[in-house]
Amino acid sequence: MDKKKLYIQTFGCQMNVQDSQKMAALLKESGYGTTEDPREADLILVNTCSIREKAAQKICSQLGRFRDLKEENPHLLIGAVGCLAQQWGARFFKRIPHLDLVVGTHQIHRLPEMVADLEQKGGQAVETGRCESVRSLEIVAQPPEGAVSTFVTIMQGCINRCAYCVVPFLRGPEESRPLDEILREVRMLAAEGIREVTLLGQNVNSYGQANGGGHDFADLLAAIGKVEGIERIRFTTSHPKDLSPRLIDSFGKVAPLCEHIHLPIQSGSDRVLALMNRGYRAEEYLAKVAALRASCPDIAITSDVIVGFPGEREEDFQATLALMRQVRFDNLFSFQYSEREGTAAAGMADPVPEAVKRERLVILQSLQMEHTGERNRARIGRTEGVLVEGPSKNGPQDMTGRTRANRIVNFPGAAGLIGQVVQVRITEAFLHSLRGEVEGRGEGDVH
Ligand code: 5AD
Ligand code: SF4
């Protein structure tokens, strides 16, 4: 019998990438194999994001394009899943009338049953209810064939109330997975050949504070650090206000923990940070950066910044640039503020004109390019451990992988190296990657 085919397109964060893998695993049990080609699909799922207006627009135009496929194949089912689905619920059908299915962030586990119902009875189905305990946290995602690195969700939801952010409304309150359950999953992944895990949560620093069974994030890192076969551990995302001294200490102590932290600052102005309800001042952020560098001198620090938050004046923006010059981030993700329905910042006084936001973003990004270039060039002549992930985009003669500080490195090498850590001497630096030559095997001395 022909297998039914599932095509999933994912927007948004790594948590969504992980959720898409969970959906694929669930639907496999209902006879759906995945396809890379939407024209072959019997079921198309778009895993949606609502973080900025741009994401919502892109998702709607993508769903709009799938209408033609539905005209060619009336049995095709199309669903919107995840954050924007949670936010819009049945309103999604008004925007996209050819949609069959809308499933929110807490209802992923119901997908097989809902799809089976639609297959039999047709119509439109929507489920955006909240669950006390998010069932999808227990679903084990199957990493793609041959993957060396994968994600592990350790918690979801968020209890912070950053004024700009829609996530707490969509993902619900914080919920941590029990440490034993996470360890079981990591051991299983290691046995399947995974060498690197990235621990995911909206705010991993507060792991365990809500139902973690008495363990905090530093305990979890220490436990995963002992799992045989796991050579590298990463995590994302951290809230600066919850970055504890114990966690800072872990960088020197837990050998597989990679020397990289993503620590979103959002603004360098205390006035804007207060308006954003971030719970720290720029000075406190800088003190945490200094503590991280004292514990781990070569740590790479990356961050997120929003420009044009309501009320942001020129001097606030200048304070952000000054902080960037002080920290010299290894990399920075920067965004124009986008108003989101239901958030505290929606309708705040003194909105910043679009043109000003755009101009600030350009200035900020060109400063960051200087810093990224400078940090990347500083690696030239050094030898770094690179976990080989697969062939490089440059062509079959090159392999690609990442350093512990999360820099992409391309180098001449054969496919037999995939899954291994090799020592690469860095010879060239670009903005988005490094180039080098293999010198040996193994993680070697860390920095
Ligand atoms: N507008 C612009 N950027 C946002 N982010 C979150 N919400 C918004 C918003 N409303 C950014 C923050 C966050 C990153 C994931 O997205 O910088 O850290
Ligand atoms: Fe987008 Fe945030 Fe939802 Fe991730 S959690 S998909 S970034 S809205």
Side-chain angles (χ1 to χ4, degrees):
M1 195 182 86
D2 264 341
K3 243 190 168 186
K4 292 176 286 184
K5 293 270 193 263
L6 163 70
Y7 174 80
I8 305 190
Q9 185 163 6
T10 309
F11 290 82
C13 58
Q14 291 164 325
M15 182 79 83
N16 264 20
V17 174
Q18 172 76 353
D19 282 348
S20 291
Q21 289 178 6
K22 289 182 181 183
M23 291 181 221
L26 272 182
L27 287 161
K28 197 171 173 192
E29 287 167 27
S30 327
Y32 278 94
T34 49
T35 172
E36 299 293 310
D37 182 356
R39 285 168 305 183
E40 279 188 351
D42 305 283
L43 171 63
I44 293 180
L45 293 177
V46 176
N47 195 1
T48 63
C49 172
S50 179
I51 197 126
R52 284 171 289 274
E53 185 57 32
K54 235 196 220 164
Q57 282 163 4
K58 266 200 218 156
I59 287 159
C60 286
S61 56
Q62 183 57 54
L63 281 166
R65 280 196 286 276
F66 289 141
R67 195 181 56 195
D68 293 349
L69 297 181
K70 185 127 183 156
E71 274 164 15
E72 282 166 29
N73 170 13
H75 298 295
L76 172 66
L77 294 175
I78 303 182
V81 194
C83 288
L84 195 62
Q86 180 71 38
Q87 192 172 23
W88 285 359
R91 279 190 287 159
F92 230 131
F93 296 128
K94 289 215 173 91
R95 288 284 288 266
I96 312 286
H98 56 278
L99 208 55
D100 302 286
L101 181 68
V102 173
V103 183
T105 51
H106 284 201
Q107 298 293 338
I108 290 175
H109 62 280
R110 297 219 31 227
L111 261 172
E113 172 198 337
M114 293 176 79
V115 168
D117 248 23
L118 284 172
E119 283 172 345
Q120 279 184 7
K121 301 182 198 138
Q124 287 179 316
V126 54
E127 187 56 85
T128 55
R130 284 280 175 77
C131 298
E132 183 94 335
S133 176
V134 183
R135 297 267 304 278
S136 68
L137 273 178
E138 297 158 21
I139 305 168
V140 171
Q142 198 58 40
E145 269 287 298
V148 172
S149 171
T150 197
F151 304 116
V152 174
T153 307
I154 62 162
M155 63 188 302
Q156 91 138 16
C158 182
I159 48 164
N160 293 314
R161 282 285 180 270
C162 301
Y164 49 79
C165 190
V166 75
V167 175
F169 303 98
L170 305 180
R171 293 264 181 187
E174 243 170 44
E175 183 179 352
S176 297
R177 278 176 80 191
L179 186 133
D180 289 351
E181 206 178 284
I182 298 171
L183 273 181
R184 210 175 314 132
E185 181 171 345
V186 172
R187 285 197 196 103
M188 189 193 79
L189 290 168
E192 286 174 6
I194 292 293
R195 295 288 156 259
E196 175 181 270
V197 287
T198 301
L199 309 178
L200 289 181
Q202 263 84 30
N203 180 15
V204 293
N205 301 138
S206 54
Y207 171 79
Q209 281 173 21
N211 62 349
H215 302 287
D216 71 3
F217 187 53
D219 295 331
L220 179 66
L221 286 174
I224 297 178
K226 293 195 193 113
V227 175
E228 187 139 355
I230 296 298
E231 298 188 38
R232 292 181 169 194
I233 306 170
R234 304 183 184 280
F235 60 86
T236 193
T237 265
S238 299
H239 194 305
K241 80 173 162 53
D242 301 317
L243 181 65
S244 68
R246 285 195 72 212
L247 178 54
I248 292 174
D249 256 13
S250 305
F251 280 101
K253 284 201 191 123
V254 179
L257 181 60
C258 288
E259 292 74 19
H260 169 222
I261 187 165
H262 185 66
L263 197 61
I265 173 82
Q266 311 299 1
S267 169
S269 152
D270 287 341
R271 208 177 60 80
V272 173
L273 286 171
L275 286 171
M276 287 176 165
N277 194 28
R278 287 289 287 171
Y280 55 85
R281 286 172 290 121
E283 192 182 77
E284 290 165 285
Y285 183 91
L286 290 171
K288 298 226 165 156
V289 167
L292 281 163
R293 286 182 173 155
S295 158
C296 180
D298 217 13
I299 193 164
I301 302 180
T302 57
S303 198
D304 292 342
V305 166
I306 297 175
V307 296
F309 187 78
E312 183 188 71
R313 302 180 193 132
E314 181 57 27
E315 65 257 35
D316 298 311
F317 176 59
Q318 290 301 328
T320 300
L321 298 180
L323 183 134
M324 285 169 62
R325 287 194 188 94
Q326 215 171 328
V327 177
R328 305 188 105 73
F329 290 110
D330 291 82
N331 206 351
L332 185 80
F333 301 89
S334 47
F335 313 97
Q336 290 183 42
Y337 169 70
S338 165
E339 183 173 294
R340 306 313 287 139
E341 180 189 323
T343 59
M348 261 190 187
D350 297 326
V352 175
E354 285 301 314
V356 176
K357 283 193 218 173
R358 219 173 303 132
E359 191 188 359
R360 286 182 185 165
L361 192 68
V362 170
I363 294 170
L364 185 141
Q365 288 182 340
S366 76
L367 178 64
Q368 183 54 42
M369 273 198 262
E370 281 176 34
H371 295 164
T372 306
E374 176 186 297
R375 292 257 178 225
N376 285 355
R377 281 192 303 276
R379 312 315 293 180
I380 294 177
R382 301 177 67 145
T383 299
E384 307 220 21
V386 173
L387 175 60
V388 186
E389 289 174 11
S392 144
K393 285 188 214 124
N394 300 344
Q397 73 288 353
D398 279 1
M399 287 287 121
T400 191
R402 282 167 198 269
T403 67
R404 289 175 63 97
N406 212 27
R407 292 190 176 87
I408 294 170
V409 182
N410 297 308
F411 57 92
L417 296 176
I418 296 171
Q420 296 187 33
V421 176
V422 290
Q423 289 293 310
V424 177
R425 194 172 56 81
I426 307 301
T427 53
E428 280 180 277
F430 310 99
L431 262 186
H432 302 293
S433 66
L434 305 174
R435 193 161 175 79
E437 282 155 18
V438 176
E439 280 198 330
R441 299 276 166 95
E443 194 79 274
D445 282 344
V446 170
H447 295 283

